[in-house]
């Protein structure tokens, strides 16, 4: 089974850069390494939204796809290392901010249960170095995201 490292963090905190560096160093040492991007990056191509116009169905779809994506790659991979760029926490935060609180709480309970089933050997949380990063108009959840990650992973 591969060692699974999860990289979480706010927008513009350097997750992609960090993952690229770790990938390069592990490859240089002869390890087989796979990078698993967050499924939400593909969501816009499927016509789904991540912002305040999101719907319950969009979030259910993204939740299901992310779980399937992570679980299958984790189970089927022959790599020595899997490097994950974000996880189910994104779906939990987006639903908390943008959906009715009663529905959002149901998502939170489901996601917390799923996080117990998915295996992460290492979790790295990256913080943004500057508050001067321009808003990408996609995610308006950075402070809630940071608080949720800290609450979940300490």
């Amino acid at each position: 089974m591969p060692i699974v490292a999860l990289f979480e963090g706010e927008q513009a905190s350097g997750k992609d850069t960090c993952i690229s560096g770790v990938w390069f160093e592990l490859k240089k040492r002869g390890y087989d390494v796979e990078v698993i991007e967050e499924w939400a990056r593909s969501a816009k191509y499927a016509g789904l939204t991540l912002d305040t116009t999101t719907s319950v169905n969009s979030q259910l779809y993204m939740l299901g796809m992310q779980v399937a994506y992570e679980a299958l790659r984790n189970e089927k991979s022959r790599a020595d290392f899997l490097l994950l760029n974000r996880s189910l926490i994104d779906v939990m935060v987006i639903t908390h901010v943008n959906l009715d609180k009663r529905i959002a709480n149901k998502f939170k309970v489901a996601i917390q249960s799923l996080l117990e089933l998915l295996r992460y050997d290492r979790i790295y949380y990256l913080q943004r170095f500057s508050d001067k990063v321009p808003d990408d108009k996609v995610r308006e959840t950075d402070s809630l995201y940071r608080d949720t990650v800290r609450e979940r992973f300490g």
Side-chain angles (χ1 to χ4, degrees):
M1 287 187 83
I3 295 173
V4 180
L6 170 60
F7 293 80
E8 289 283 358
E10 303 168 52
Q11 170 200 351
S13 61
K15 292 177 302 298
D16 291 330
T17 303
C18 186
I19 289 171
S20 295
V22 171
W23 179 89
F24 177 79
E25 289 298 323
L26 289 170
K27 284 292 211 182
K28 192 167 77 173
R29 288 171 171 77
Y31 291 105
D32 187 6
V33 185
E34 286 184 47
V35 175
I36 301 177
E37 294 293 340
E38 63 177 318
W39 194 86
R41 287 188 181 197
S42 304
K44 65 181 175 184
Y45 303 113
L48 303 173
T49 58
L50 300 173
D51 59 14
T52 55
T53 64
T54 194
S55 69
V56 173
N57 288 338
S58 289
Q59 292 304 310
L60 281 171
Y61 186 73
M62 283 194 270
L63 173 61
M65 291 303 294
Q66 184 71 33
V67 169
Y69 196 48
E70 285 186 38
L72 286 174
R73 292 294 287 273
N74 198 339
E75 182 180 318
K76 303 285 183 193
S77 177
R78 289 187 162 58
D80 299 308
F81 290 89
L82 290 179
L83 308 178
L84 277 71
N85 189 344
R86 294 199 175 188
S87 69
L88 301 174
I89 293 173
D90 276 9
V91 178
M92 183 167 61
V93 173
I94 290 167
T95 57
H96 182 77
V97 171
N98 297 323
L99 296 179
D100 173 86
K101 295 301 177 209
R102 186 176 50 82
I103 295 170
N105 285 334
K106 289 179 181 180
F107 269 90
K108 183 177 181 180
V109 169
I111 291 169
Q112 286 175 330
S113 296
L114 290 167
L115 284 169
E116 298 300 322
L117 296 173
L118 295 171
R119 182 179 62 85
Y120 307 114
D121 297 302
R122 302 280 188 275
I123 299 171
Y124 302 99
Y125 176 69
L126 288 80
Q127 289 184 306
R128 191 183 326 182
F129 291 110
S130 171
D131 288 331
K132 297 181 181 177
V133 176
D135 183 1
D136 65 358
K137 304 295 185 219
V138 175
R139 294 191 173 121
E140 303 163 351
T141 59
D142 280 345
S143 62
L144 179 61
Y145 184 86
R146 180 183 57 245
D147 295 344
T148 302
V149 171
R150 287 179 181 166
E151 173 187 312
R152 174 68 179 93
F153 297 112

